[in-house]
Amino acid sequence: MKRIAGLLYGALAYAMFLVSFLYAIAFVADIWAPRTIDHGPSAPPATAAVIDLALLGVFAVQHSGMARRGFKRWLTRWAPAPLERSTFVLLSSAALLLIFWQWRPIDAVIWSVDSPLAAGALHAAAAAGWLLVLSGTFVISHFDLFGLRQVWLNLRGQPYAALHFQERLHYRLIRHPLMLGFIVAFWATPHMTAGHLLFAVATTSYILLALRLEERDLIAAHGDEYLRYRERVPLLLPWPRPHPPQSAHPLQQPTGGKP
């Protein structure tokens, strides 16, 4: 019975991820949703900025705090290990939904692109960013990243084993394609308001800081293997790098998955 409950818990967490991910697209693009980055409860600009930064801060603390190896060890002392990833996904999704619910728009226009061709190109770039995020999760095992594989193996009574990372597709070009996808999606807009700019600057800054923490954890987990991978493959921008040496070993899958 506990294993079935664990599977249901993992399915609930995954459903929360799907809702928050789809709403995030509508929120940032300012489409199809009652509350978006440019439409929602009004507040004076200074008050709105304080509220919005506080909301983003809650997400940053929750997301990066729970992604650290020390927190995972603490959590699994009292919670079943197969539910650790689902718990992370569930609380991350809840933190995102809190942002979408309580965000205060700041309407001042920073730039507005009137050309239909240029606006269409920016919309296409944003869509490509979201596609890069989603497709990147499947390259590194989508269902493991969001906790479903863990609860499924637990249901079947099979031990969990981390998947080996195959250096292919996105991950042959850059080390963190998901984060690049988010940055592109957040900045590529034909109508940039002050609220949207605040969101883009704050989230980009958080991503760059969180990647430093994630890289530190990956080096601690994989040692020289990850150091060799880091030498061959750039962080976010696919600048040309020297060809890897013939003796390079395959890299195991990063344990954190998200910053």
Side-chain angles (χ1 to χ4, degrees):
M1 192 65 183
K2 289 183 179 180
R3 292 178 179 178
I4 295 176
L7 181 66
L8 294 176
Y9 180 78
L12 172 64
Y14 185 73
M16 284 281 287
F17 152 71
L18 288 178
V19 170
S20 63
F21 181 77
L22 293 175
Y23 201 102
I25 297 174
F27 177 83
V28 175
D30 189 29
I31 54 174
W32 305 330
R35 294 194 178 188
T36 68
I37 204 163
D38 291 329
H39 291 87
S42 62
T47 303
V50 170
I51 294 173
D52 295 344
L53 288 173
L55 291 168
L56 293 171
V58 169
F59 175 81
V61 171
Q62 175 277 320
H63 199 75
S64 285
M66 290 191 69
R68 303 283 69 78
R69 300 172 70 193
F71 184 90
K72 293 177 183 181
R73 287 193 297 268
W74 173 83
L75 181 62
T76 52
R77 290 176 185 172
W78 59 270
L83 304 185
E84 178 270 320
R85 190 66 191 179
S86 293
T87 301
F88 171 83
V89 170
L90 183 65
L91 294 181
S92 296
S93 300
L96 281 176
L97 293 175
L98 177 64
I99 292 174
F100 305 152
W101 176 40
Q102 289 298 318
W103 183 264
R104 300 299 194 268
I106 305 176
D107 297 331
V109 177
I110 306 301
W111 73 66
S112 183
V113 176
D114 296 326
S115 166
L117 184 61
L122 287 168
H123 285 308
W130 290 113
L131 182 60
L132 179 60
V133 171
L134 185 60
S135 62
T137 67
F138 284 96
V139 174
I140 60 173
S141 182
H142 177 86
F143 297 110
D144 188 89
L145 187 62
F146 293 102
L148 285 181
R149 177 171 174 263
Q150 291 86 328
V151 294
W152 176 249
L153 290 174
N154 181 59
L155 177 69
R156 300 180 63 183
Q158 298 178 359
Y160 173 78
L163 297 174
H164 289 282
F165 178 80
Q166 297 182 19
E167 195 179 316
R168 59 193 177 96
L169 299 177
H170 309 10
Y171 291 86
R172 294 180 66 88
L173 300 175
I174 55 177
R175 300 198 302 276
H176 298 280
L178 276 70
M179 298 303 106
L180 176 61
F182 280 125
I183 292 172
V184 171
F186 295 162
W187 283 93
T189 176
H191 185 73
M192 178 66 79
T193 62
H196 194 149
L197 181 63
L198 175 70
F199 179 88
V201 170
T203 52
T204 301
S205 300
Y206 165 67
I207 286 171
L208 295 178
L209 176 61
L211 285 181
R212 292 175 63 88
L213 299 174
E214 179 72 3
E215 291 272 301
R216 185 184 64 187
D217 286 353
L218 292 171
I219 292 171
H222 305 294
D224 290 341
E225 286 185 330
Y226 192 81
L227 289 173
R228 287 192 290 269
Y229 176 64
R230 191 169 70 165
E231 290 176 356
R232 296 193 306 273
V233 180
L235 182 72
L236 286 173
L237 299 176
W239 305 124
R241 290 286 186 94
H243 291 293
Q246 294 296 322
S247 59
H249 297 288
L251 173 69
Q252 292 184 333
Q253 178 187 351
T255 56
K258 290 185 178 180

